[in-house]
Amino acid sequence: VSYLLNSGVRPGSLMAIAFGRKAAEQLEERLIQLGVPVAKNLTDRSGVVVATFNALGRRLLLSNGFEGNLLSTDARVRKLVRAALGKAGIQIPTVRGFDNLDLVIKQLARVCRGLINPNAEEIEFITKGDKTEKQPFPPIYTAIRNLQAEQRSITFDDQIFKALTLTMGEPLVRHDLQRRFQYILVDEYQDLNKAQISLVRTLAGGSGQVFAVGDDDQLIYSWRDAKTQHLLEDFERFFPKSTTFPLEINYRCAQRIVTLSQRL
């Protein structure tokens, strides 16, 4: 960020995306200490936008008229899903010792994170005697989305999914963001899922430049649909003019530890 600003880039054309809230807060603090202006929200064009993906998605929705509420806890999501299935008359097996409702919630999250077509999906429930029963997922998905629309509520993953839907579906919104953000810096790229990557690609779809830092050996969010191929294979395919700079020197521990780890 400092290099770009010293090269004459306007702070308002920069976006820095950190993976977690703590990292975003630390980055913001360090920029302020350097005298770099940091934007308070997306309508503030005087400073660098620093955010996590979820915060960015929520800011995009709020700046474009969204007035709903975030289902910020697992309990609230479960309550909504249970109510949606009941309202639609959809029954799922109830088995002692196994949570089939959790399977529905995980499938909904997979659709959002992995950009999976819900109309092509089935869901396999556990029934009595450890048997399984398949049901089509589209009626379940529709029931949940209908109740969400009625209650004007979104899940944690919807913040990114709905922001992506907004930017892809509204040309004026998309072009305004693409004109504004000429440089997008992304940390922990190895932990990004398809929805997050697609949002970056959409925002950089004009003449924007993307700078990403990642380490395939540090991928820890595979359970949230992150894959090493997103960093190792897809990045150069998505950004064909990109250049890779390997960071191969370990500054974190002694040589003997590195040697032992390489031997293993």
Side-chain angles (χ1 to χ4, degrees):
V1 172
S2 295
Y3 173 83
L4 289 169
L5 295 178
N6 291 334
S7 301
V9 175
R10 290 180 297 103
S13 64
L14 272 169
M15 176 188 292
I17 308 176
F19 196 79
R21 184 186 299 176
K22 185 176 180 181
E25 290 172 351
Q26 288 178 343
L27 177 56
E28 195 168 312
E29 289 171 5
R30 288 166 69 177
L31 289 175
I32 291 171
Q33 288 171 5
L34 291 171
V36 175
V38 175
K40 295 182 175 64
N41 49 54
L42 281 183
T43 58
D44 179 1
R45 295 174 179 249
S46 65
V48 177
V49 170
V50 179
T52 63
F53 273 98
N54 285 81
L56 173 61
R58 186 158 175 79
R59 290 180 196 178
L60 282 170
L61 294 174
L62 290 173
S63 62
N64 286 277
F66 175 74
E67 297 176 349
N69 63 90
L70 173 65
L71 301 173
S72 54
T73 64
D74 292 342
R76 293 185 66 189
V77 175
R78 288 180 65 85
K79 182 178 179 181
L80 177 129
V81 171
R82 188 181 286 111
L85 296 179
K87 187 174 182 179
I90 298 173
Q91 293 186 338
I92 63 173
T94 302
V95 183
R96 181 178 294 178
F98 195 85
D99 189 357
N100 278 317
L101 192 66
D102 188 52
L103 291 181
V104 175
I105 295 168
K106 286 180 178 177
Q107 187 87 323
L108 178 65
R110 281 184 60 239
V111 167
C112 293
R113 297 167 184 164
L115 303 183
I116 296 168
N117 179 5
N119 295 320
E121 291 292 300
E122 286 185 323
I123 186 166
E124 190 172 67
F125 293 116
I126 302 297
T127 60
K128 292 180 180 178
D130 287 334
K131 295 180 179 179
T132 60
E133 170 190 304
K134 288 185 178 180
Q135 287 190 25
F137 188 61
I140 295 173
Y141 183 80
T142 301
I144 295 169
R145 289 310 198 193
N146 285 345
L147 187 57
Q148 280 187 260
E150 185 181 311
Q151 296 183 358
R152 296 186 62 79
S153 62
I154 60 173
T155 66
F156 188 72
D157 293 301
D158 278 336
Q159 292 176 107
I160 299 168
F161 184 77
K162 296 287 187 182
L164 178 60
T165 304
L166 169 72
T167 53
M168 294 185 71
E170 297 290 341
L172 292 178
V173 173
R174 181 173 67 253
H175 293 158
D176 180 59
L177 291 166
Q178 288 175 345
R179 281 193 301 269
R180 176 180 174 185
F181 295 110
Q182 295 299 302
Y183 298 88
I184 302 173
L185 290 71
V186 187
D187 195 18
E188 305 289 4
Y189 193 91
Q190 77 280 351
D191 283 323
L192 271 55
N193 55 42
K194 282 187 177 180
Q196 293 166 324
I197 292 169
S198 295
L199 185 58
V200 171
R201 290 180 64 198
T202 303
L203 295 176
S207 58
Q209 297 188 46
V210 175
F211 174 84
V213 179
D215 180 356
D216 57 302
D217 282 334
Q218 294 192 54
L219 187 147
I220 56 174
Y221 282 91
S222 57
W223 58 277
R224 292 186 63 183
D225 295 285
K227 296 178 173 64
T228 54
Q229 71 186 57
H230 294 163
L231 174 66
L232 299 179
E233 301 170 18
D234 295 344
F235 190 88
E236 290 186 354
R237 183 163 58 87
F238 293 154
F239 305 101
K241 295 181 181 179
S242 64
T243 303
T244 300
F245 300 93
L247 305 177
E248 297 174 331
I249 299 174
N250 184 330
Y251 295 97
R252 290 184 172 181
C253 52
Q255 179 64 47
R256 55 195 167 89
I257 295 174
V258 177
T259 303
L260 284 168
S261 68
Q262 288 176 333
R263 192 187 304 170
L264 287 169

